[in-house]
Amino acid sequence: MRTADGVADAYVAHPDGDGPFPAVLLYMDAFGLRPHLETMADRLAAAGYLVLVPNVFYRAGRAPVVELPDYIDPAARPGLFEQIMPMLRSLTPQRLMSDARAYLEWLAGSPLAADGPVGITGYCMGAGLALRTAGTYPDRVAAAAGFHGAHLASEADDSPHLLAGSVTAELYFAHADQDSAMPVEQIDRLEKALTEAGVTHRCEVYAGAHHGYTQADTAAYDAEAAERHWTELLALFERTLRRN
């Protein structure tokens, strides 16, 4: 997939047949494009969607950019984040949204994709990308969801929540109450920004869940919270991407 800065590799999943299918952009967490995210994309595809999962770290190489264990436990995290953080810091909002344009254009040009705006789901860092993409390309996004998002409504000048006024999509965010990356003050700030902007949205806090609760290849996984995420995500896409 050609971007302004090169070629991004990606995983694509879709149902059997020629389509067209409603299109979904799935934004990875910080551990990157890997078999678990492919499994998540396959589950969305089984529900009737064309799913694109780009390697957001493509500038550093093809996925897997970082060598990951099959199961990411707390002991592995410090060493992994030593490798991941420089890549994260290099991704400015401008670069990320230039990439987002390429992802959306790829979906729009796919013969498997139905006409019209897409849905987005994002995890960890991907939740912020989902919100930022919905605010940057409002005519291209019908729905966006974010799960265990990090720093969605910080005090930074380029915090994702500051784009709320441009969003026309329906939004759903599910925070983890055991998540230091999205403290209560940021949850409240995000809710206030979306409400004041008149965005159709719902923000929930999953009690007892930790940051990363949807990721079955990590120690943060919470099966009950993950299934709740699937219920809400599929319902969101059903009502926004299948209205015709």
Side-chain angles (χ1 to χ4, degrees):
M1 181 168 38
R2 179 67 61 179
T3 74
D5 290 338
V7 177
D9 53 307
Y11 180 77
V12 177
H14 58 81
D16 293 336
D18 297 329
F21 310 106
V24 171
L25 172 59
L26 191 159
Y27 275 129
M28 66 189 212
D29 64 352
F31 292 126
L33 178 54
R34 60 194 191 281
H36 170 63
L37 290 186
E38 294 175 4
T39 298
M40 295 182 75
D42 290 345
R43 182 164 174 175
L44 275 172
Y49 299 96
L50 167 65
V51 187
L52 174 68
V53 192
N55 170 22
V56 175
F57 293 151
Y58 72 88
R59 292 175 181 83
R62 292 180 63 86
V65 180
V66 174
E67 186 174 348
L68 299 169
D70 291 337
Y71 181 74
I72 303 169
D73 62 22
R77 293 176 69 92
L80 292 174
F81 273 99
E82 283 185 12
Q83 302 172 71
I84 291 167
M85 289 309 296
M87 293 187 289
L88 274 175
R89 295 190 184 103
S90 72
L91 292 176
T92 63
Q94 292 74 24
R95 280 183 170 180
L96 290 165
M97 290 303 98
S98 174
D99 291 345
R101 177 187 291 274
Y103 306 151
L104 293 170
E105 288 179 350
W106 186 92
L107 286 170
S110 171
L112 291 172
D115 292 337
V118 308
I120 305 177
T121 183
Y123 305 87
C124 178
M125 61 175 274
L129 294 181
L131 176 54
R132 200 179 291 281
T133 303
T136 304
Y137 303 105
D139 59 325
R140 307 290 291 276
V141 182
F147 300 90
H148 45 83
H151 315 298
L152 297 179
S154 72
E155 295 181 341
D157 292 341
D158 57 0
S159 175
H161 80 286
L162 297 176
L163 293 169
S166 300
V167 172
T168 58
E170 180 177 344
L171 304 183
Y172 176 81
F173 290 98
H175 313 295
D177 72 346
Q178 308 294 311
D179 190 352
S180 61
M182 194 65 190
V184 172
E185 59 268 23
Q186 290 201 41
I187 292 174
D188 292 344
R189 188 179 294 132
L190 176 62
E191 174 67 37
K192 181 180 179 182
L194 296 176
T195 299
E196 290 183 348
V199 177
T200 300
H201 73 282
R202 186 153 52 94
C203 296
E204 298 187 310
V205 177
Y206 290 7
H210 293 262
H211 183 79
Y213 60 80
T214 62
Q215 304 300 299
D217 59 350
T218 76
Y221 180 65
D222 182 314
E224 182 178 352
E227 283 306 308
R228 182 177 174 186
H229 131 269
W230 281 115
T231 297
E232 295 293 350
L233 181 62
L234 292 172
L236 173 68
F237 288 164
E238 179 69 26
R239 64 179 174 265
T240 56
L241 302 182
R242 296 182 180 277
R243 289 179 296 183
N244 295 324

